[in-house]
Amino acid sequence: MDDYVASARSHWGPRFTANGVPAADFDRVMAGLESWGDWCAAWSAAAGVHENLGIEAMEDGRLRSAGAHLSTAAVVYHFAKFVYVRDLEQMKAAARGIVRAST
């Protein structure tokens, strides 16, 4: 594992979970990350799961569940891009995910 991922794993757990990232998602995504280059894609994939669950819940009329999943998706997309400046296109895609999940 590279130094960036190791530092994030050891320092950012409380910040992520205090702001709405499920602890299980933090543990799962961080356990699978070896390279900083994979950061944005890995977190965007985790956010996409919540986004899809939110859309499905909305379509089923489960609005409380939809809101919970979509707000989680927005937070996870935020953390996908908030420190990731290595690949501008990935960062922009994560930012678009925040907008989708928030509207």
Side-chain angles (χ1 to χ4, degrees):
M1 150 188 352
D2 68 26
D3 291 341
Y4 290 111
V5 173
S7 179
R9 182 179 291 171
S10 66
H11 294 101
W12 291 349
R15 180 177 184 170
F16 278 47
T17 57
N19 286 288
V21 174
D25 283 0
F26 182 82
D27 292 341
R28 182 180 47 78
V29 172
M30 294 306 290
L33 270 175
E34 293 296 322
S35 168
W36 186 252
D38 298 328
W39 176 271
C40 193
W43 281 105
S44 291
V49 170
H50 290 286
E51 182 180 6
N52 291 336
L53 289 169
I55 291 167
E56 181 182 316
M58 193 178 315
E59 290 170 350
D60 291 344
R62 296 178 287 115
L63 301 182
R64 228 179 253 187
S65 293
H69 283 297
L70 291 172
S71 66
T72 299
V75 168
V76 177
Y77 276 125
H78 163 74
F79 282 116
K81 62 107 190 125
F82 92 117
V83 293
Y84 194 80
V85 295
R86 187 171 285 179
D87 181 335
L88 190 57
E89 290 308 311
Q90 281 189 60
M91 188 174 155
K92 286 179 183 179
R96 286 189 295 273
I98 294 170
V99 173
R100 278 194 315 273
S102 299
T103 56

